Amino acid sequence: MSSESLQRVLPAPAVEAASKVYLEDLAKGIGAARTVDLTKLYGPSFVAPESQLTQQARALAPGLGSYQPFLQAAQTQVQQGPQAYQQYMSPYQQAVMDTTLREYDIQAQKGLPSLAAAAIQSGAYGGGREGVQRAEYQSTSDRNRAALQAQLLQQNFGQAQTLAQQNLLNQLQMAQAGPGFVAQQIAGLQTLGAGETSQQQALLEAQRQLAQQQAYQPLNVAERYGAGITPLIAGYPGRDIQTITPTPSPITNILGIGSTLAGIYNKLNYAQK
């Protein structure tokens, strides 16, 4: 019974050595990747904190309600109705009126002597005609005095009305302007804060990428190495041929010996005949 030989085509030594290095590096890279602490690559530690400028902007947020005191003052004035002007009347009104009217009375009294002189010249001094003239003069003077007093009151009233309306307008403008200024300041701080946060986030992201590259570097290098030698392994022709002759088993040896002895025995019997 004949034994059969097996032939195995082996890769070239250089390819076989490169494959061995690749498999060893790949195993090490996978082992290192399994033990990576992901908290050092991901998580809140790589999220930029809120900038101080943004915190300042948030602290100014209550200032957006600064309109309330001005709006309440305006509402109070509106609720006072027609009497709102009174608090804006000049505190010197009565003094001005008294001084003006007193001067008017002095000037009015200066006109009486001229009436007496005219009556004397006309020969009507002490008569009814002079009395009528004096009465008319006094009546006209009183009307003019009342008109002057009314004019002074009207001027003060008009001025108070103007001041009241102007104050109401000022309160409304302040109610609008105050929060507007605060909002502009908040917007400016938020813009600057966002820029700082973006810069800080970029730095943290760069650190995270560096840590990730360092953690997976053995595996990445092994993969790149394998990508380079895989086409080489697939396309490089084999050069070594190894012949393998199977080793006979004990049973096979016994059977072979038995066959040999049987053949010798048959030949001897044929010769004797």
Side-chain angles (χ1 to χ4, degrees), residues 1-9 241-248:
M1 181 176 181
S2 62
S3 60
E4 297 180 356
S5 299
L6 299 177
Q7 290 186 344
R8 185 176 64 178
V9 179
I241 299 177
Q242 183 180 21
T243 301
I244 301 175
T245 302
T247 301

Side-chain angles (χ1 to χ4, degrees), residues 148-270:
L148 177 59
Q149 184 178 11
Q151 182 181 1
L152 293 174
L153 289 172
Q154 183 63 35
Q155 288 178 352
N156 198 6
F157 173 76
Q159 187 176 19
Q161 283 266 9
T162 301
L163 291 175
Q165 292 175 357
Q166 184 62 47
N167 181 70
L168 178 60
L169 181 61
N170 290 341
Q171 297 293 341
L172 294 176
Q173 289 177 345
M174 289 299 296
Q176 294 176 349
F181 292 143
V182 176
Q184 291 178 1
Q185 187 176 8
I186 291 176
L189 290 173
Q190 286 179 334
T191 300
L192 294 175
E196 284 190 352
T197 302
S198 178
Q199 177 66 20
Q200 183 66 20
Q201 185 62 53
L203 293 175
L204 290 175
E205 179 61 22
Q207 293 175 0
R208 189 192 69 80
Q209 292 179 1
L210 176 60
Q212 185 176 9
Q213 288 296 327
Q214 290 174 339
Y216 292 106
Q217 183 178 14
L219 180 60
N220 293 335
V221 171
E223 290 178 346
R224 288 196 295 270
Y225 183 65
I229 68 171
T230 298
L232 187 64
I233 295 173
Y236 206 96
R239 294 188 177 180
D240 292 346
I241 299 177
Q242 183 180 21
T243 301
I244 301 175
T245 302
T247 301
S249 65
I251 297 176
T252 303
N253 291 335
I254 294 173
L255 292 175
I257 294 173
S259 298
T260 301
L261 291 176
I264 295 173
Y265 178 77
N266 290 332
K267 289 181 178 180
L268 292 176
N269 289 336
Y270 179 76

